[in-house]
Amino acid sequence: MDAASQLSKGSLDVIFNDPDKAAKLFPVPVLQCLQIKQMAPNPAGDERYRLVLSDGTHYVQTMLALQANHVVHEGKLVRGCIVRLKQYTPNNHKGKNILVLLDLEVIESLGIHDKIGEPTGVESRPVADNSIPGNDFYGAKKEEVKPQPQAVPSRQAGTHAGSNIYPIEGLSPFAHKWTIKARVTAKSDIKTWHKATGEGKLFSVNLLDETGEIKATGFNDQCDAFYDLLQEGQVYYISTPCRVSLAKKQFSNLPNDYELAFERDTVIEKAEDQTSVPQMRFNFCSIQDLQGVEKDNTVDVIGVLKEVGEINEIISKKDGKPFQKRDLTIVDDTGFSVRVTIWGKTAGSFEAQEESVIAFKGTKVSDFGGKSLSLLSSGTMSVNPDIPDSHRLKGWYDSAGRNNNFATHQNMSSLAGATGRKDDLKTISQVKDENLGMEGDAYYSIKATIVFVKHDNFCYPACNSQNCNKKVTQVPDGTWMCEKCQKSQDKPEYRYIMSVNVADHTSHQWLSCFDDTGRTIVGMTANELMDLREQDETKVAEVFERVNCKKLNFRCKAKMDKFGDTERVRYQVMTASPIDFKSEGNRLAELIKQYNINE
C-alpha cells in the first residue's frame, strides 16, 4: 500500500481554517510523524511529548496528551510512521497553530518512511476586511492584517445541548465557546477579603476529566450562585461564558498553565452520567525521590500511615487567630519515611487508622531540618483509595514492610539547605574536575573525613553586641574596642574561623569554616576552647587531635576570591552535620540495587 496516497492531504489547512468542513471531509485524518521530542517535565513531573505531523502538504506542531503517551511507551510512535488521529483539539496561540492529540493510533501496516512530500507550515488565514483603512490615502503604508486567533471546536467525542465537549487539556483563552464535562475533586471554603479598595468573597474548585485538571474560581455573586451547586465528587457540565486566563501558580497545585473564572452567565449543570469521568488523578513522587525535589515545589505522594501525631493548636502570625495542625508519618516501599503536616478542619477531623494507605494530592515540600511535606489548602487527602498504587503498597506492607526500619531525609545535606538551593552530592575530585566556582558561586555537598585542622588562628575576638560579630581589638586599659559599635567591652565573644583539610576516597580539599560549623566540628564553643588554652596549651592540641578522622556531611559553597593579584576558588562550609548511618546505609543499598539492575 502506498503510504503517500493514504495521507489526508490538505487536512491541516482545513482543520485550522474551516473546522466545520474538516469534520465532514477529514473525520479521522491520516498524517505522518516527522519529529518526536520529549519535553522538560513540569513541576508535577508529567511526561510530555511534542510532535511535528505532516499531511504531505503542510506540517504542524502538536502536543501529545498524557493519556496518549502509551503509543510512545509501546515503541510504536517513531519518526516516519503514519498515524490516524481519532481525537484532537486545534488551538491557535499568538498566531501559532498547535494541535493537541487526545487519541491516535499508529497504522503499522503502512510502515516507516522518509519525509513524504515537501510540506510547509500551516497558516491561519487572516479575517477579511474590505473597509478602507483610515491611513490608506495618498500612498500611506497599509498595515499588515494579522491573523486572528481562531476558536476551533474539539474533536472529543460527545456533545451537550448542541455543543461539543471540550477536553480540559484543550482549553485556552482562544477557545471562546466550549463545554467541559468534569468532576469536582476538591472544593475550598468560602474566603473573604477586606481591602481599602473594597471587600469580597471567593471559593475555588479543582475540575478533572480524562485529559487533565484545571482550577476554577467564583467571586462574589458567582460564589453565591455556584458554591452550594458544586459538590465534591460530582460531575458537571460547565459552559461558556467562562473566563480562561493564565494560572496563578502560587495559588494552585495543578499542572495546568490556565485557570477558569466563573462569570455571571456561566452555565453549570449536574451530569446524569456520573461514571464516565475519572475520580482522581495523581502524579506520585516516591518518598525516596523527595530527596531530589526542591523546596516549595508541589508533589503528590502516597504511603502507609505509620504514626499519627497529636493535634496541636498554634496561633497564626498573620492575623493572630488559632488554627489546628497534626503531623502524620507515612512510609513506602523505597525504605523511606516522611512527615506530612495537615491543617485546620482536616487535622481536627482526621480519623484514619494507622497502617491505612493515604494518598495526598497537592503537598508543599519543605527542607527545614530535612525533607517534610505540608498539605496545601487546595490539596486533598484520600484514605485507602481504590487505585493500583494503593493496592501495591498495602500488599507490600502486610507481607514485608510492617517490620522494616525506615530512613528519613532528616539531616541529609545532599540537597537544599537553609537557602533552598539544590546541591548535588559529589566527590571532591568531581568538584575540582567540574571547576565549580570558576564561573560564579556554586553549591555542592560532600561526605568527607577531617584529616587536619590548622591550630593557629582558629578563632577571633568578636564584638558581643547583638548582630554585630565584628572583630574587636584590645586597648591599653585592657578592654576590647569595637570600631563599628564604638564601645568597649570587658571581654570579647570568641568565634571560630577555621581552615580544615578534608578527604574522601577520591581526593582532599581545604575548607573554610565559621562559628556554627566550628562548634559542630570541635564539639565546644570557641570561648570554651580559649579558656582551655589559657589553662593548658597542650589540651587544645588534644582537642584538635580528637577532631581528626571525624566524618561529616559538608554543604559547601565554591566561590572565586581574589588574593592580591591572583584569583582562586575558595571553598566555604555552609553547614556540617553528622552522618545518619542508617539513612546512608539505605542509600548505598539502593545504589547497589540499581547497579545490579543495570548490569
Side-chain angles (χ1 to χ4, degrees), residues 132-156:
I132 300 176
N135 63 348
D136 197 27
F137 290 93
Y138 308 108
K141 185 178 179 180
K142 184 175 181 178
E143 292 186 1
E144 180 182 355
V145 180
K146 296 182 179 180
Q148 299 298 311
Q150 301 293 311
V152 277
S154 168
R155 286 286 303 141
Q156 180 179 356

Side-chain angles (χ1 to χ4, degrees), residues 112-129:
I112 311 299
H113 304 271
D114 292 333
K115 184 174 67 173
I116 297 173
E118 295 296 329
T120 59
V122 65
E123 297 181 358
S124 296
R125 300 186 190 117
V127 178
D129 185 359

Side-chain angles (χ1 to χ4, degrees), residues 484-501:
K484 179 183 177 183
C485 300
Q486 286 297 306
K487 69 175 185 179
S488 60
Q489 305 158 21
D490 294 334
K491 188 177 180 180
E493 178 79 19
Y494 284 98
R495 296 178 63 83
Y496 285 112
I497 178 168
M498 301 166 55
S499 289
V500 301
N501 192 266

